Amino acid sequence: MGEEKLLSIRDLHTGFRFQDEYFDAVDGVDLDLYRNEFLAIVGESGCGKSTIATSIVGLHDPNYTRVSGEINYMGENLLHYSEEQLNAVRGKEIGFIFQDPLASLNPLHRVGQQIEEALLYHTDLNKEERYDRVLELLEQVGIPYPERTYRQFPHQLSGGMRQRVLIAMALSCKPNIIIADEPTTALDVTIQAQILDLIVEIQKEIGAGIILITHDLGVVAQMADRVAVMYAGQIVELADAKELFSNPLHPYTRSLMKSIPQSDDDEELHVIQGVVPSLRYLPREGCRFAPRIPWIPQDAHEANPVLHQVKPGHFVRCSCHQHFHFEGEGGDHVVSRS
C-alpha cells in the first residue's frame, strides 16, 4: 500500500494469568495499519479481537496480563512505554471508541466535561476554547442542541446519542488512529448505519487509520479496505475486502460466509459446529479450527500452520484449502478432493 504505515504489530502475544499460568488470548499476531485505511478484524466472540485492541493502548492489568512482541507506532514500540508515556498517546494519537457507552461514560459527570477532559490533558487550549471545541465536536457527530447536551448526564441521552458522545471523545484531538471496538452492537439497525457512516465521514476528514473490531460481516463487506479473520487467538486469513469475500480460502472464513443469512436463498442457514476452544485447552499443534470441521481429514491440515501469502496481499493459515473444497455446507457436509 502506498499510504504511510501508522502501526506495525509483530509477533504479538497477550496472555492472561490463571492460577499462576499464562494463557495466550492473542498468539503471534502480525498486522499493519496504514493512514486512511479501514481495517476490520472479525471473528467469533472469544477469538482475541478486542484483546488486540486493548493491547495496542495498554489497557490490561499488568499483574494479570503478559504482553510480548512489538506494537510499533510511528517507529516506536509501545510495549516499551511507561504508563505516563502511554497516557500521552491515548486519546491524542490513538482514539478508542468502546463498545458499551454506559460502562465507558462516568454517570456522575456531565457529558461536556468528559469530552473536555482529553482537551485539558493533551492541548494548550484555555477554558473558553475547550468549551467551543466540545460544542464543535458534538455538532460534528450529529448531536442537536450541543449546548444543552454539554450540560446533560449520560443517563439523559439515548443509546445512539451516548455512542456519538464516545466518538466525539475519541476524535477530540484528531488522532492518527481510531480503534472502534464493536461500536454499534447495542444499537438498532438504523442507528448503526448512521454511526458507521459518521465514522467513515470523519476518517476522510482527519485522514486517520481505523481498526474496526466486529462480528458483522455485512458491515465489513460495505466499509472495510482490508480484513483480518481471527480464530482462537490467531489470524487465519488476511486480504483485501473484495478479495476475501469473492475468494475466501480458510475453512473458518468460508464457514463464516456461509453463516450469513441470504434473503434470496432458500438453503438452510449454515451453523458452525462446536465452540471456540478455551484458552486453557488450545491445540498444541495443527489447525485450531480442525476439530470443528471433522469432515476434512487430519492429514489435509498442516502440522504447524503459519500465515503465508497465496497471492499478492492475500494470506492464509493452513493449506488444507488446496486439497479440499466444499460441495455442501449444510447439516451434512460433502467434501471432495480438488
Side-chain angles (χ1 to χ4, degrees), residues 236-286:
V236 296
E237 192 159 359
L238 174 66
D240 290 344
K242 289 182 180 179
E243 165 69 14
L244 187 83
F245 280 88
S246 63
N247 185 32
L249 294 179
H250 195 278
Y252 180 62
T253 308
R254 294 161 70 171
S255 295
L256 286 179
M257 301 294 186
K258 290 290 289 184
S259 301
I260 303 174
Q262 304 292 332
S263 59
D264 58 347
D265 196 340
D266 293 330
E267 288 186 17
E268 183 179 345
L269 188 65
H270 172 63
V271 177
I272 303 175
Q273 299 180 16
V275 295
V276 177
S278 164
L279 296 183
R280 299 177 65 187
Y281 303 109
L282 288 177
R284 296 293 183 183
E285 59 182 26

CSV table of all heavy atoms in Angstrom, one decimal, residues 236-286:
chain,number,residue,atom,x,y,z
A,236,VAL,N,-6.2,-16.2,10.8
A,236,VAL,CA,-6.2,-17.3,9.9
A,236,VAL,C,-6.3,-16.9,8.4
A,236,VAL,O,-6.0,-17.7,7.6
A,236,VAL,CB,-7.4,-18.3,10.3
A,236,VAL,CG1,-7.2,-18.9,11.6
A,236,VAL,CG2,-8.8,-17.6,10.1
A,237,GLU,N,-6.8,-15.7,8.2
A,237,GLU,CA,-6.8,-15.2,6.8
A,237,GLU,C,-6.8,-13.6,6.8
A,237,GLU,O,-7.3,-13.0,7.7
A,237,GLU,CB,-8.0,-15.7,6.1
A,237,GLU,CG,-8.0,-15.4,4.6
A,237,GLU,CD,-8.9,-16.3,3.8
A,237,GLU,OE1,-9.6,-17.2,4.4
A,237,GLU,OE2,-9.0,-16.2,2.6
A,238,LEU,N,-6.0,-13.1,5.9
A,238,LEU,CA,-5.9,-11.6,5.8
A,238,LEU,C,-5.9,-11.3,4.3
A,238,LEU,O,-5.1,-11.8,3.5
A,238,LEU,CB,-4.6,-11.2,6.4
A,238,LEU,CG,-4.2,-9.7,6.3
A,238,LEU,CD1,-5.2,-8.8,7.0
A,238,LEU,CD2,-2.8,-9.5,6.9
A,239,ALA,N,-6.8,-10.3,3.9
A,239,ALA,CA,-6.8,-10.0,2.5
A,239,ALA,C,-7.6,-8.7,2.3
A,239,ALA,O,-8.3,-8.2,3.2
A,239,ALA,CB,-7.5,-11.1,1.7
A,240,ASP,N,-7.5,-8.1,1.1
A,240,ASP,CA,-8.4,-7.0,0.7
A,240,ASP,C,-9.9,-7.5,0.9
A,240,ASP,O,-10.1,-8.7,0.6
A,240,ASP,CB,-8.2,-6.5,-0.7
A,240,ASP,CG,-6.8,-5.8,-0.8
A,240,ASP,OD1,-6.2,-5.5,0.2
A,240,ASP,OD2,-6.4,-5.7,-2.0
A,241,ALA,N,-10.8,-6.6,1.2
A,241,ALA,CA,-12.1,-7.0,1.5
A,241,ALA,C,-12.8,-7.6,0.3
A,241,ALA,O,-13.4,-8.7,0.4
A,241,ALA,CB,-13.0,-5.8,1.9
A,242,LYS,N,-12.6,-7.0,-0.9
A,242,LYS,CA,-13.2,-7.6,-2.1
A,242,LYS,C,-12.7,-9.0,-2.4
A,242,LYS,O,-13.4,-9.9,-2.8
A,242,LYS,CB,-13.0,-6.6,-3.3
A,242,LYS,CG,-13.8,-5.3,-3.2
A,242,LYS,CD,-13.5,-4.5,-4.5
A,242,LYS,CE,-14.3,-3.2,-4.4
A,242,LYS,NZ,-14.0,-2.3,-5.6
A,243,GLU,N,-11.4,-9.1,-2.3
A,243,GLU,CA,-10.7,-10.4,-2.5
A,243,GLU,C,-11.2,-11.5,-1.5
A,243,GLU,O,-11.5,-12.6,-1.9
A,243,GLU,CB,-9.2,-10.3,-2.4
A,243,GLU,CG,-8.4,-11.6,-2.3
A,243,GLU,CD,-8.5,-12.5,-3.5
A,243,GLU,OE1,-8.9,-12.0,-4.6
A,243,GLU,OE2,-8.1,-13.6,-3.4
A,244,LEU,N,-11.4,-11.1,-0.2
A,244,LEU,CA,-11.8,-12.0,0.8
A,244,LEU,C,-13.2,-12.5,0.5
A,244,LEU,O,-13.5,-13.7,0.7
A,244,LEU,CB,-11.7,-11.4,2.2
A,244,LEU,CG,-11.9,-12.4,3.3
A,244,LEU,CD1,-10.6,-13.1,3.7
A,244,LEU,CD2,-12.4,-11.6,4.6
A,245,PHE,N,-14.1,-11.6,0.2
A,245,PHE,CA,-15.5,-12.0,0.0
A,245,PHE,C,-15.7,-12.8,-1.3
A,245,PHE,O,-16.6,-13.6,-1.4
A,245,PHE,CB,-16.4,-10.8,0.1
A,245,PHE,CG,-16.7,-10.4,1.5
A,245,PHE,CD1,-15.9,-9.5,2.2
A,245,PHE,CD2,-17.8,-10.9,2.2
A,245,PHE,CE1,-16.1,-9.1,3.5
A,245,PHE,CE2,-18.0,-10.5,3.5
A,245,PHE,CZ,-17.2,-9.6,4.2
A,246,SER,N,-14.9,-12.5,-2.3
A,246,SER,CA,-15.0,-13.2,-3.6
A,246,SER,C,-14.3,-14.5,-3.6
A,246,SER,O,-14.6,-15.4,-4.3
A,246,SER,CB,-14.6,-12.3,-4.7
A,246,SER,OG,-13.2,-12.0,-4.6
A,247,ASN,N,-13.2,-14.6,-2.7
A,247,ASN,CA,-12.4,-15.8,-2.8
A,247,ASN,C,-11.9,-16.2,-1.4
A,247,ASN,O,-10.7,-16.3,-1.1
A,247,ASN,CB,-11.2,-15.6,-3.7
A,247,ASN,CG,-10.4,-16.9,-3.9
A,247,ASN,OD1,-10.9,-18.0,-3.9
A,247,ASN,ND2,-9.1,-16.7,-4.1
A,248,PRO,N,-12.8,-16.5,-0.4
A,248,PRO,CA,-12.4,-16.9,0.9
A,248,PRO,C,-11.7,-18.3,0.8
A,248,PRO,O,-12.2,-19.2,0.2
A,248,PRO,CB,-13.7,-17.0,1.7
A,248,PRO,CG,-14.8,-17.3,0.7
A,248,PRO,CD,-14.3,-16.6,-0.6
A,249,LEU,N,-10.6,-18.4,1.5
A,249,LEU,CA,-9.8,-19.7,1.4
A,249,LEU,C,-9.8,-20.5,2.6
A,249,LEU,O,-10.0,-21.8,2.6
A,249,LEU,CB,-8.3,-19.3,1.0
A,249,LEU,CG,-8.1,-18.7,-0.3
A,249,LEU,CD1,-6.6,-18.4,-0.6
A,249,LEU,CD2,-8.7,-19.6,-1.4
A,250,HIS,N,-9.6,-19.9,3.8
A,250,HIS,CA,-9.6,-20.8,5.0
A,250,HIS,C,-11.0,-21.3,5.3
A,250,HIS,O,-12.0,-20.6,5.2
A,250,HIS,CB,-9.1,-19.9,6.2
A,250,HIS,CG,-8.6,-20.8,7.4
A,250,HIS,ND1,-9.5,-21.3,8.3
A,250,HIS,CD2,-7.4,-21.2,7.8
A,250,HIS,CE1,-8.9,-21.9,9.2
A,250,HIS,NE2,-7.6,-21.9,8.9
A,251,PRO,N,-11.0,-22.6,5.8
A,251,PRO,CA,-12.3,-23.2,6.1
A,251,PRO,C,-13.1,-22.4,7.1
A,251,PRO,O,-14.4,-22.3,7.0
A,251,PRO,CB,-12.0,-24.5,6.7
A,251,PRO,CG,-10.7,-24.9,6.0
A,251,PRO,CD,-9.9,-23.6,5.9
A,252,TYR,N,-12.5,-21.7,8.0
A,252,TYR,CA,-13.2,-20.9,9.0
A,252,TYR,C,-13.8,-19.7,8.3
A,252,TYR,O,-15.0,-19.3,8.6
A,252,TYR,CB,-12.3,-20.4,10.1
A,252,TYR,CG,-13.0,-19.6,11.2
A,252,TYR,CD1,-14.0,-20.1,11.9
A,252,TYR,CD2,-12.6,-18.3,11.4
A,252,TYR,CE1,-14.7,-19.3,12.8
A,252,TYR,CE2,-13.2,-17.5,12.3
A,252,TYR,CZ,-14.3,-18.0,13.1
A,252,TYR,OH,-14.9,-17.2,14.0
A,253,THR,N,-13.1,-19.0,7.5
A,253,THR,CA,-13.6,-17.9,6.7
A,253,THR,C,-14.8,-18.3,5.9
A,253,THR,O,-15.9,-17.6,5.9
A,253,THR,CB,-12.5,-17.2,5.8
A,253,THR,OG1,-11.4,-17.0,6.6
A,253,THR,CG2,-13.1,-15.9,5.2
A,254,ARG,N,-14.7,-19.4,5.2
A,254,ARG,CA,-15.7,-19.9,4.4
A,254,ARG,C,-17.0,-20.3,5.2
A,254,ARG,O,-18.1,-20.0,4.8
A,254,ARG,CB,-15.2,-21.1,3.5
A,254,ARG,CG,-14.2,-20.7,2.6
A,254,ARG,CD,-13.3,-21.8,2.1
A,254,ARG,NE,-14.0,-22.7,1.2
A,254,ARG,CZ,-13.5,-23.7,0.5
A,254,ARG,NH1,-12.2,-23.9,0.6
A,254,ARG,NH2,-14.2,-24.4,-0.3
A,255,SER,N,-16.7,-20.8,6.4
A,255,SER,CA,-17.9,-21.1,7.2
A,255,SER,C,-18.6,-19.9,7.7
A,255,SER,O,-19.8,-19.9,7.8
A,255,SER,CB,-17.4,-22.0,8.4
A,255,SER,OG,-16.9,-23.2,8.0
A,256,LEU,N,-17.8,-18.8,8.0
A,256,LEU,CA,-18.4,-17.6,8.4
A,256,LEU,C,-19.3,-17.0,7.3
A,256,LEU,O,-20.4,-16.5,7.5
A,256,LEU,CB,-17.3,-16.6,8.8
A,256,LEU,CG,-16.6,-16.7,10.1
A,256,LEU,CD1,-15.6,-15.6,10.3
A,256,LEU,CD2,-17.6,-16.7,11.3
A,257,MET,N,-18.8,-17.1,6.1
A,257,MET,CA,-19.5,-16.5,4.9
A,257,MET,C,-20.8,-17.3,4.8
A,257,MET,O,-21.9,-16.7,4.5
A,257,MET,CB,-18.7,-16.7,3.7
A,257,MET,CG,-17.3,-15.9,3.7
A,257,MET,SD,-17.5,-14.2,3.8
A,257,MET,CE,-15.8,-13.7,3.6
A,258,LYS,N,-20.8,-18.6,4.9
A,258,LYS,CA,-22.0,-19.4,4.8
A,258,LYS,C,-23.0,-19.2,5.9
A,258,LYS,O,-24.2,-19.6,5.7
A,258,LYS,CB,-21.6,-20.9,4.7
A,258,LYS,CG,-20.8,-21.4,3.5
A,258,LYS,CD,-21.7,-21.4,2.2
A,258,LYS,CE,-22.8,-22.5,2.3
A,258,LYS,NZ,-23.6,-22.5,1.0
A,259,SER,N,-22.5,-18.6,7.0
A,259,SER,CA,-23.4,-18.4,8.1
A,259,SER,C,-24.2,-17.1,8.0
A,259,SER,O,-25.0,-16.7,8.8
A,259,SER,CB,-22.6,-18.3,9.4
A,259,SER,OG,-21.9,-19.5,9.6
A,260,ILE,N,-23.9,-16.3,6.9
A,260,ILE,CA,-24.6,-15.0,6.7
A,260,ILE,C,-26.0,-15.3,6.1
A,260,ILE,O,-26.0,-16.0,5.1
A,260,ILE,CB,-23.8,-14.1,5.8
A,260,ILE,CG1,-22.4,-13.8,6.4
A,260,ILE,CG2,-24.6,-12.8,5.6
A,260,ILE,CD1,-21.5,-13.0,5.4
A,261,PRO,N,-27.1,-14.8,6.7
A,261,PRO,CA,-28.4,-15.1,6.1
A,261,PRO,C,-28.5,-14.4,4.7
A,261,PRO,O,-28.0,-13.3,4.5
A,261,PRO,CB,-29.3,-14.4,7.1
A,261,PRO,CG,-28.6,-14.3,8.4
A,261,PRO,CD,-27.2,-14.1,8.0
A,262,GLN,N,-29.0,-15.1,3.7
A,262,GLN,CA,-29.2,-14.6,2.4
A,262,GLN,C,-30.7,-14.5,2.1
A,262,GLN,O,-31.4,-15.4,2.2
A,262,GLN,CB,-28.6,-15.5,1.4
A,262,GLN,CG,-27.1,-15.8,1.6
A,262,GLN,CD,-26.2,-14.6,1.4
A,262,GLN,OE1,-26.6,-13.7,0.6
A,262,GLN,NE2,-25.1,-14.5,2.0
A,263,SER,N,-31.2,-13.3,1.8
A,263,SER,CA,-32.6,-13.0,1.6
A,263,SER,C,-33.2,-13.8,0.4
A,263,SER,O,-34.3,-14.1,0.4
A,263,SER,CB,-32.9,-11.5,1.5
A,263,SER,OG,-32.1,-11.0,0.4
A,264,ASP,N,-32.3,-14.0,-0.6
A,264,ASP,CA,-32.8,-14.6,-1.8
A,264,ASP,C,-32.4,-16.1,-1.9
A,264,ASP,O,-32.4,-16.7,-2.9
A,264,ASP,CB,-32.3,-13.9,-3.0
A,264,ASP,CG,-30.7,-13.9,-3.1
A,264,ASP,OD1,-30.1,-14.2,-2.0
A,264,ASP,OD2,-30.2,-13.5,-4.1
A,265,ASP,N,-32.1,-16.7,-0.7
A,265,ASP,CA,-31.6,-18.1,-0.7
A,265,ASP,C,-32.5,-18.9,0.2
A,265,ASP,O,-32.7,-18.6,1.4
A,265,ASP,CB,-30.1,-18.1,-0.2
A,265,ASP,CG,-29.4,-19.4,-0.5
A,265,ASP,OD1,-30.1,-20.4,-0.7
A,265,ASP,OD2,-28.2,-19.4,-0.5
A,266,ASP,N,-33.0,-20.0,-0.3
A,266,ASP,CA,-33.8,-20.9,0.4
A,266,ASP,C,-33.1,-21.9,1.2
A,266,ASP,O,-33.7,-22.7,1.9
A,266,ASP,CB,-34.9,-21.5,-0.5
A,266,ASP,CG,-35.8,-20.5,-1.1
A,266,ASP,OD1,-36.1,-19.5,-0.4
A,266,ASP,OD2,-36.3,-20.8,-2.2
A,267,GLU,N,-31.8,-22.0,1.1
A,267,GLU,CA,-31.0,-23.0,1.8
A,267,GLU,C,-31.0,-22.8,3.3
A,267,GLU,O,-31.2,-21.7,3.8
A,267,GLU,CB,-29.5,-22.9,1.3
A,267,GLU,CG,-29.3,-23.4,-0.1
A,267,GLU,CD,-27.8,-23.5,-0.4
A,267,GLU,OE1,-27.0,-23.4,0.5
A,267,GLU,OE2,-27.5,-23.5,-1.6
A,268,GLU,N,-30.9,-23.9,4.0
A,268,GLU,CA,-30.9,-23.8,5.4
A,268,GLU,C,-29.6,-23.1,5.9
A,268,GLU,O,-28.5,-23.3,5.4
A,268,GLU,CB,-30.9,-25.3,6.0
A,268,GLU,CG,-30.9,-25.3,7.5
A,268,GLU,CD,-31.0,-26.8,8.1
A,268,GLU,OE1,-31.3,-27.7,7.2
A,268,GLU,OE2,-30.7,-27.0,9.3
A,269,LEU,N,-29.8,-22.2,6.9
A,269,LEU,CA,-28.7,-21.4,7.4
A,269,LEU,C,-27.6,-22.3,8.0
A,269,LEU,O,-27.8,-23.2,8.8
A,269,LEU,CB,-29.1,-20.5,8.5
A,269,LEU,CG,-28.1,-19.4,8.9
A,269,LEU,CD1,-27.8,-18.5,7.8
A,269,LEU,CD2,-28.7,-18.6,10.1
A,270,HIS,N,-26.3,-22.1,7.5
A,270,HIS,CA,-25.2,-22.9,8.0
A,270,HIS,C,-24.9,-22.6,9.4
A,270,HIS,O,-24.8,-21.4,9.8
A,270,HIS,CB,-24.0,-22.7,7.1
A,270,HIS,CG,-22.8,-23.3,7.6
A,270,HIS,ND1,-22.6,-24.7,7.7
A,270,HIS,CD2,-21.6,-22.8,8.0
A,270,HIS,CE1,-21.4,-25.0,8.2
A,270,HIS,NE2,-20.7,-23.8,8.3
A,271,VAL,N,-24.6,-23.6,10.2
A,271,VAL,CA,-24.2,-23.4,11.6
A,271,VAL,C,-22.8,-24.0,11.8
A,271,VAL,O,-22.6,-25.2,11.4
A,271,VAL,CB,-25.2,-24.0,12.6
A,271,VAL,CG1,-24.7,-23.9,14.0
A,271,VAL,CG2,-26.6,-23.4,12.5
A,272,ILE,N,-21.9,-23.2,12.3
A,272,ILE,CA,-20.5,-23.8,12.6
A,272,ILE,C,-20.6,-24.7,13.8
A,272,ILE,O,-21.0,-24.2,14.9
A,272,ILE,CB,-19.5,-22.6,12.8
A,272,ILE,CG1,-19.5,-21.7,11.6
A,272,ILE,CG2,-18.1,-23.2,13.0
A,272,ILE,CD1,-18.6,-20.5,11.7
A,273,GLN,N,-20.2,-25.9,13.7
A,273,GLN,CA,-20.2,-26.8,14.8
A,273,GLN,C,-19.3,-26.4,15.9
A,273,GLN,O,-18.2,-25.8,15.7
A,273,GLN,CB,-19.8,-28.2,14.3
A,273,GLN,CG,-20.8,-28.8,13.2
A,273,GLN,CD,-20.3,-30.2,12.8
A,273,GLN,OE1,-19.6,-30.9,13.4
A,273,GLN,NE2,-20.8,-30.6,11.6
A,274,GLY,N,-19.6,-26.8,17.1
A,274,GLY,CA,-18.8,-26.6,18.3
A,274,GLY,C,-18.6,-25.1,18.7
A,274,GLY,O,-19.4,-24.3,18.3
A,275,VAL,N,-17.6,-24.9,19.5
A,275,VAL,CA,-17.3,-23.5,20.0
A,275,VAL,C,-15.9,-23.2,19.9
A,275,VAL,O,-15.0,-24.1,19.8
A,275,VAL,CB,-17.8,-23.4,21.5
A,275,VAL,CG1,-19.3,-23.5,21.6
A,275,VAL,CG2,-17.1,-24.4,22.4
A,276,VAL,N,-15.5,-21.9,20.1
A,276,VAL,CA,-14.1,-21.5,20.1
A,276,VAL,C,-13.5,-22.2,21.3
A,276,VAL,O,-14.0,-22.2,22.4
A,276,VAL,CB,-14.0,-20.0,20.2
A,276,VAL,CG1,-12.5,-19.6,20.4
A,276,VAL,CG2,-14.6,-19.3,19.0
A,277,PRO,N,-12.3,-22.9,21.2
A,277,PRO,CA,-11.7,-23.6,22.4
A,277,PRO,C,-11.3,-22.6,23.5
A,277,PRO,O,-10.9,-21.5,23.2
A,277,PRO,CB,-10.5,-24.3,21.7
A,277,PRO,CG,-10.2,-23.5,20.5
A,277,PRO,CD,-11.5,-23.0,20.0
A,278,SER,N,-11.4,-23.1,24.7
A,278,SER,CA,-10.9,-22.4,25.8
A,278,SER,C,-9.4,-22.1,25.7
A,278,SER,O,-8.7,-22.9,25.2
A,278,SER,CB,-11.2,-23.2,27.1
A,278,SER,OG,-10.5,-22.7,28.2
A,279,LEU,N,-9.0,-21.0,26.3
A,279,LEU,CA,-7.6,-20.7,26.3
A,279,LEU,C,-6.7,-21.7,27.0
A,279,LEU,O,-5.6,-22.0,26.6
A,279,LEU,CB,-7.3,-19.3,27.0
A,279,LEU,CG,-7.9,-18.1,26.4
A,279,LEU,CD1,-7.5,-16.8,27.1
A,279,LEU,CD2,-7.5,-17.9,24.9
A,280,ARG,N,-7.3,-22.4,27.9
A,280,ARG,CA,-6.6,-23.4,28.7
A,280,ARG,C,-6.4,-24.7,27.9
A,280,ARG,O,-5.6,-25.5,28.2
A,280,ARG,CB,-7.3,-23.7,30.0
A,280,ARG,CG,-7.5,-22.5,30.9
A,280,ARG,CD,-8.2,-22.9,32.2
A,280,ARG,NE,-7.6,-23.8,33.0
A,280,ARG,CZ,-8.1,-24.4,34.1
A,280,ARG,NH1,-9.4,-24.1,34.4
A,280,ARG,NH2,-7.4,-25.3,34.8
A,281,TYR,N,-7.2,-24.9,26.8
A,281,TYR,CA,-7.2,-26.1,26.1
A,281,TYR,C,-7.0,-25.9,24.6
A,281,TYR,O,-7.5,-26.7,23.8
A,281,TYR,CB,-8.5,-26.9,26.4
A,281,TYR,CG,-8.7,-27.2,27.8
A,281,TYR,CD1,-9.7,-26.5,28.5
A,281,TYR,CD2,-7.9,-28.0,28.6
A,281,TYR,CE1,-10.0,-26.7,29.9
A,281,TYR,CE2,-8.1,-28.2,29.9
A,281,TYR,CZ,-9.2,-27.6,30.6
A,281,TYR,OH,-9.4,-27.7,31.9
A,282,LEU,N,-6.2,-24.9,24.2
A,282,LEU,CA,-5.9,-24.7,22.8
A,282,LEU,C,-5.1,-25.8,22.3
A,282,LEU,O,-4.2,-26.3,23.0
A,282,LEU,CB,-5.2,-23.4,22.6
A,282,LEU,CG,-6.0,-22.1,22.8
A,282,LEU,CD1,-5.1,-20.9,22.7
A,282,LEU,CD2,-7.1,-22.0,21.8
A,283,PRO,N,-5.3,-26.3,21.1
A,283,PRO,CA,-4.5,-27.3,20.5
A,283,PRO,C,-3.0,-26.9,20.4
A,283,PRO,O,-2.7,-25.8,20.1
A,283,PRO,CB,-5.0,-27.5,19.1
A,283,PRO,CG,-6.4,-26.9,19.1
A,283,PRO,CD,-6.4,-25.9,20.2
A,284,ARG,N,-2.1,-27.8,20.8
A,284,ARG,CA,-0.7,-27.5,20.8
A,284,ARG,C,-0.1,-27.4,19.4
A,284,ARG,O,0.9,-26.8,19.1
A,284,ARG,CB,0.0,-28.6,21.6
A,284,ARG,CG,-0.3,-28.6,23.1
A,284,ARG,CD,0.1,-27.4,23.8
A,284,ARG,NE,-0.2,-27.4,25.2
A,284,ARG,CZ,0.1,-26.4,26.0
A,284,ARG,NH1,0.6,-25.3,25.6
A,284,ARG,NH2,-0.2,-26.6,27.3
A,285,GLU,N,-0.7,-28.1,18.4
A,285,GLU,CA,-0.2,-28.1,17.1
A,285,GLU,C,-1.4,-28.3,16.1
A,285,GLU,O,-2.5,-28.7,16.5
A,285,GLU,CB,0.9,-29.2,16.8
A,285,GLU,CG,0.4,-30.6,17.1
A,285,GLU,CD,1.5,-31.6,17.0
A,285,GLU,OE1,2.7,-31.3,17.1
A,285,GLU,OE2,1.1,-32.8,16.7
A,286,GLY,N,-1.1,-28.1,14.8
A,286,GLY,CA,-2.1,-28.2,13.8
A,286,GLY,C,-3.1,-27.1,13.7
A,286,GLY,O,-3.0,-26.1,14.5
